[in-house]
Structure formats: structure tokens, C-alpha cells
Amino acid sequence: MAAQRGSLMQSHQSWTDALPLCQLCGVGSAPNCVYSPDGKGTQSHPNEDGHFRFSTECCFLYGVFNGFDGSRVASFVSQRLTAELLLGQLSTGHTDADVRRILSQAFDVVEKSYFETIDDALAEKASLQTQLPEGVYLSAQTQKIAERLKALEQEVSGGATALVALILNNKLYIANVGTNRALLCKTTSDGQNQVIQIGRAHTTDNDDELSRLAQLGLDPVRLRQTGLISGQSSTRRIGDYKVKFSYTDIDVLSAAKQKPIISEPEIHGGQSLEGVTGFLLLMSEGLIKALESAHGPEQVNQEIVSMVAAELVQQTSLEAAAQSVVERVKRLHHDAYVSGRQRAPHCAKHEDMTLLIRVINYVLADGSLTPTQGGRIYPVSVPYSNHQSTSKTSVMLSLVMPAQGTLTNGSNTASTLEGDTPTAGQSPTATLQSTNTHTQSSSSSSGDGSLFRQRGSQAAQPDETGRVPPYVDFTQFYRLWGSDHSEGQGLSGDLGPQ
């Protein structure tokens, strides 16, 4: 088995590609971004997140990985974990205890295997460090050594957090190392969404983690005040050789009796999925932090579930639903920054974002967007205040715009919008998602289309300037508005866009 794994890992780019992808799953992602004062965003480093989503004859396996200081560790972990779990290690005859043991062993083997891949580089780095002379004088030789040390440091640095979900025998198992998050959303008999967060992030805000570290001789008060450990908030992570092998050189960790930052997963399950209808969400830390920065941490779980529920109703594919949710979060984060309001200082940048949606006994619309039977989704978030309730409420409004026809240039015709669009004259549909601490409900309503000029089945064609005639007629609006506001004000009835 070990030889088989080693052989496969040498060609890991091809063997995992041959595994069947799960068709009950969709993934959305967005790269990191730093905003300039005018709100323009730029990517500050290559994407470091990773994921997988496989199905086999006996199980389903999903993972989301958040890398830091490079993507090497996240990539290695996603490849090697697959080899440690999908090459015959799991079977339908395994008990819950068996599955938990196999998952734990897989994480242990993966980290050991990763450090084996950088053993030579670490040894060379240690040897070269002994050759550097003391003092500030740099000869040509010592400068060459310094450049090599810098290259080796880039090669061996970095780590990753990992969140893995396994469905075996219709039971759900979650294995978590670090700060990613798993949510299980169950639809209740009355149509509400019950949200369950499985496990907690491994940070110094986690009392269980502080207790574990205190037993190793570390000061929990100081740890909580420090927050970040070697630049990261996670108290469990894979890789990151500095905190694993040189933790005595890190002031806040130096008193530890043994290795304080570990790669041991916290495992939950198996939880039966019998009779469950809903979806499972795996989210990278970047997605969570971006929404927390924009809206505060109190309602993040409910907001994400509300967005996902809305998109599952409107999109024809899980991939589109997941990507649309990520785009919503990205836009909310950007809007909070450019608004200059209370949350703006928290939103100057965000890290890579990944969302994996796995539906459970949930059927999407068959070949059409519901409830509008087609259309491009333009989600818009708007502030909402419920003066009759003291609970915090958020609203997500999704607007489906009517078709804008096609643009023709010579013999080539290209759609002005990606994907299917509703027919001209079709009314928009708004879906309102209202969330509170425990449940989420949704309702939909659509107008009668009276504001939309009827064009029959003929698509709107551009004029000689390349513009498409407007498909919304505001004549009635301006007439009514004018009659209401012109009395006593001496206003003329000639109202409308100037």
C-alpha cells in the first residue's frame, strides 16, 4: 500500500484527475484582494486555497484547504489525503470508531510525509547557516550563501489548515485542523433552515484549545492576548516547520513541554443523514473573515445559509450557486470598504475565499431557473431595519433582469449576457431572504410586468449607435409622481428623465 501511494504521488497531477468528481457538489472561489483608497482591488499573492470533491463506490470525500506563505502545503495535503483515504482504507463495514481512527491516521501520515519532502532542504539550510560569519561584513561567498538561504526558506516555509468531510454509510464525519468551518443546514418540516456549526475554529479564542495549551505549560492569558502565533491565528495546522521544530525560539511558545501547534484533527461523527434534506457547507477562513469584516461576526452562519438557500432556488447548477454566493460576499466586503462607514477599516483586504456546497436529498430545478424560468442572477444586498423586532435581521434581494437581446457584428452574434436570459417583457422576480439567530425563511413575489414594454417574441435590437431601446416605461410613474407633487408647488407636468 505504501509503495502504491508513493508511486501515485509521483504522478499526482494525473491520478486524482481520474477520480470521479461528486455531482452533488459545487465549489465557488475568489482570489485574495487588497483595496487602494479609491476602491480598486489588486491580488497581492497567488491563490493559496485548495479543495477536492470525490465520489467512490463506497463513500463521498470533500475537503477545503487554506494555505499560507504559499500554496505548496495545501496542494500536497489535498493530494496526499486523497491517497490515504481512497485507496481501499475505507469500507462500508467500518464502525464509527474505525472511521475516526482512519481519518486521524491519515492526517498524521500526511504531515510526516510532507516534512519528508523538505528534509533535504532543511538540512542544507542548517548547514549553510553555520557557514555564515558573524558580523555585518558580506563577501561574495557569504552573499551567495545568503541568497541560497533565502531560496531555501521560501521552499520550506508555509503551512495549511484543512477541513475534510466524509460521507460513508449515509453518515457524516467531519475532520478539522485549523480555522475553516463546516455548517450543516437541515430543512425542518415547516420549511425553516436549521443551521448547525460542526466544531469550532482552533484559535486562542477556543477555550478547549487554551486548556490544551495550558496543560503544556503555556500561559492561556498571554496566548489569548497574543492572538496570532507565528503570523497565524490557528493553533492547529499542517506543515509550518518553524512552529513544529523551532517553537522554543518563539517567545509565546517557548515554555511548552512538548510540541504545542499540532496537526491532529478534531473529528465529529458519524452523524446520520437518514431523512435529512438540506445541504453541507465547507468554507475556507478567507470567506468567513470577509463576511465577518463586512457585517460583524454575530450572524455569519445565518447569512451564508440564507445566501446559499436563495441561490439554490435560482441557479441551475451547484457550481453556479456556490460561485454566486462567493461573489456576493466579495461584493459585500468591497461595498463595506468604499462606504467609509463603521466596518470600512476592517475591510481593506480579504484573503482567498472558497465555498463548497454539498446538497443532501435536495433537487435543483430541472433545466430551468426557478421561480423565473430563466434569467441572469444579479444579487443585490440592501440594508433592512425591522423596527418591530430587536433581533438583528439581514436581507438579501436577488433580482433577475429581463433579456437584452443580442449584439450582432457582421456574421458573428454574441449574447450580451452569459447564460440563459428571460424573454423580453418578462417581469423580474425578487426573492427575500430574512434570517435570525435560529431559523431562516424565504418568500418570493413577482410583479405583473406592467412596467415592461411588451415586445412579443422579438428580441430588442440595437439602434445605429449600438444602444438597445429601454425596456422599462416610466411614463405612468412620472405622471402619478407629478400629480402628487405639482399641487401647490407650481411644478409643470413635464417630468421625466432630462
Side-chain angles (χ1 to χ4, degrees):
M1 181 67 72
Q4 183 183 13
R5 288 195 299 267
S7 175
L8 289 172
M9 286 305 297
Q10 291 177 2
S11 58
H12 62 267
Q13 291 294 336
S14 60
W15 89 269
T16 53
D17 290 344
L19 289 173
L21 295 178
C22 177
Q23 300 303 311
L24 301 174
C25 173
V27 178
S29 63
N32 59 88
C33 186
V34 177
Y35 302 122
S36 60
D38 63 358
K40 293 182 179 179
T42 57
Q43 188 172 341
S44 61
H45 58 76
N47 195 348
E48 296 170 336
D49 277 6
H51 70 272
F52 59 57
R53 42 173 170 169
F54 299 121
S55 65
T56 68
E57 293 181 357
C58 77
C59 68
F60 300 90
L61 185 66
Y62 313 97
V64 166
F65 309 94
N66 175 32
F68 56 88
D69 294 337
S71 62
R72 172 173 174 163
V73 180
S75 298
F76 181 91
V77 173
S78 65
Q79 296 288 341
R80 189 59 189 256
L81 263 179
T82 307
E84 292 298 327
L85 294 172
L86 294 184
L87 290 179
Q89 296 90 340
L90 295 165
S91 73
T92 56
H94 282 138
T95 65
D96 288 350
D98 292 331
V99 174
R100 289 192 290 267
R101 173 180 51 81
I102 292 169
L103 285 170
S104 182
Q105 289 177 347
F107 276 83
D108 183 55
V109 170
V110 166
E111 177 164 79
K112 290 179 178 177
S113 299
Y114 167 71
F115 283 129
E116 287 176 2
T117 67
I118 64 172
D119 269 349
D120 291 343
L122 287 174
E124 182 182 355
K125 183 172 179 288
S127 175
L128 289 175
Q129 284 175 328
T130 63
Q131 299 177 33
L132 282 177
E134 296 182 2
V136 295
Y137 174 74
L138 289 178
S139 65
Q141 179 63 22
T142 56
Q143 185 174 355
K144 184 180 296 186
I145 292 176
E147 292 174 355
R148 177 58 181 161
L149 283 172
K150 183 178 179 180
L152 287 171
E153 179 63 25
Q154 293 178 342
E155 182 180 340
V156 301
S157 64
T161 59
L163 176 64
V164 171
L166 169 69
I167 297 178
L168 177 68
N169 294 329
N170 207 26
K171 289 183 178 181
L172 173 65
Y173 303 84
I174 297 292
N176 183 41
V177 173
T179 50
N180 302 316
R181 184 178 298 179
L183 298 179
L184 178 61
C185 179
K186 299 180 180 181
T187 303
T188 60
S189 58
D190 59 353
Q192 303 299 307
N193 287 329
Q194 179 187 10
V195 182
I196 304 170
Q197 179 175 327
I198 305 176
R200 293 185 58 195
H202 298 130
T203 69
T204 54
D205 290 328
N206 185 327
D207 290 338
D208 292 336
E209 281 297 282
L210 281 181
S211 177
R212 178 182 69 82
L213 294 169
Q215 292 177 5
L216 300 179
L218 299 180
D219 182 354
V221 175
R222 188 181 177 196
L223 284 168
R224 191 184 291 274
Q225 292 174 343
T226 300
L228 299 181
I229 300 174
S230 190
Q232 301 297 319
S233 62
S234 57
T235 54
R236 301 193 190 196
R237 59 189 84 159
I238 300 174
D240 200 353
Y241 81 94
K242 288 182 180 178
V243 299
K244 299 297 176 65
F245 302 133
S246 304
Y247 63 87
T248 55
D249 297 332
I250 301 172
D251 188 33
V252 72
L253 302 179
S254 59
K257 301 173 184 176
Q258 60 187 60
K259 188 185 299 182
I261 307 300
I262 59 177
S263 62
E264 179 183 349
E266 181 180 346
I267 301 175
H268 299 265
Q271 179 171 347
S272 175
L273 298 178
E274 190 69 32
V276 173
T277 299
F279 47 84
L280 172 70
L281 305 181
L282 303 185
M283 304 177 288
S284 69
E285 181 185 11
L287 183 73
I288 302 164
K289 293 298 184 183
L291 191 53
E292 285 182 348
S293 297
H295 283 180
E298 298 84 4
Q299 295 282 321
V300 166
N301 290 351
Q302 285 74 23
E303 286 192 77
I304 286 287
V305 167
S306 176
M307 293 181 200
V308 171
E311 294 302 332
L312 288 178
V313 168
Q314 298 179 86
Q315 303 290 358
T316 55
S317 74
L318 291 168
E319 206 78 5
Q323 188 61 42
S324 184
V325 171
V326 172
E327 293 298 328
R328 282 193 184 199
V329 174
K330 181 178 178 180
R331 184 172 50 256
L332 288 170
H333 185 270
H334 173 267
D335 291 350
Y337 175 74
V338 298
S339 72
R341 297 177 181 173
Q342 182 181 3
R343 304 300 305 178
H346 304 281
C347 298
K349 64 179 181 179
H350 67 74
E351 281 299 323
D352 305 315
M353 298 187 286
T354 301
L355 170 66
L356 185 150
I357 303 174
R358 204 289 195 178
V359 292
I360 303 169
N361 299 320
Y362 190 106
V363 181
L364 289 176
D366 184 16
S368 63
L369 289 172
T370 57
T372 58
Q373 305 303 315
R376 174 76 174 187
I377 306 302
Y378 292 87
V380 183
S381 55
V382 295
Y384 175 73
S385 175
N386 184 352
H387 298 294
Q388 298 178 349
S389 173
T390 57
S391 63
K392 180 177 179 180
T393 306
S394 63
V395 168
M396 294 301 161
L397 184 67
S398 294
L399 182 65
V400 181
M401 299 299 292
Q404 298 183 14
T406 57
L407 292 177
T408 305
N409 181 13
S411 61
N412 297 324
T413 302
S415 173
T416 58
L417 293 178
E418 296 177 7
D420 297 331
T421 56
T423 58
Q426 184 178 2
S427 64
T429 298
T431 299
L432 188 67
Q433 294 295 333
S434 177
T435 69
N436 57 40
T437 304
H438 302 291
T439 61
Q440 172 271 339
S441 62
S442 64
S443 62
S444 63
S445 62
S446 61
D448 60 5
S450 59
L451 289 178
F452 290 83
R453 296 173 178 164
Q454 302 299 318
R455 304 185 187 275
S457 60
Q458 186 69 28
Q461 297 298 320
D463 58 20
E464 63 276 3
T465 67
R467 297 181 177 180
V468 177
Y471 48 80
V472 180
D473 187 354
F474 286 99
T475 303
Q476 182 180 5
F477 166 79
Y478 286 123
R479 185 177 66 252
L480 294 174
W481 189 94
S483 64
D484 289 341
H485 291 78
S486 61
E487 295 180 3
Q489 299 182 28
L491 297 178
S492 68
D494 187 16
L495 299 172
Q498 303 300 317

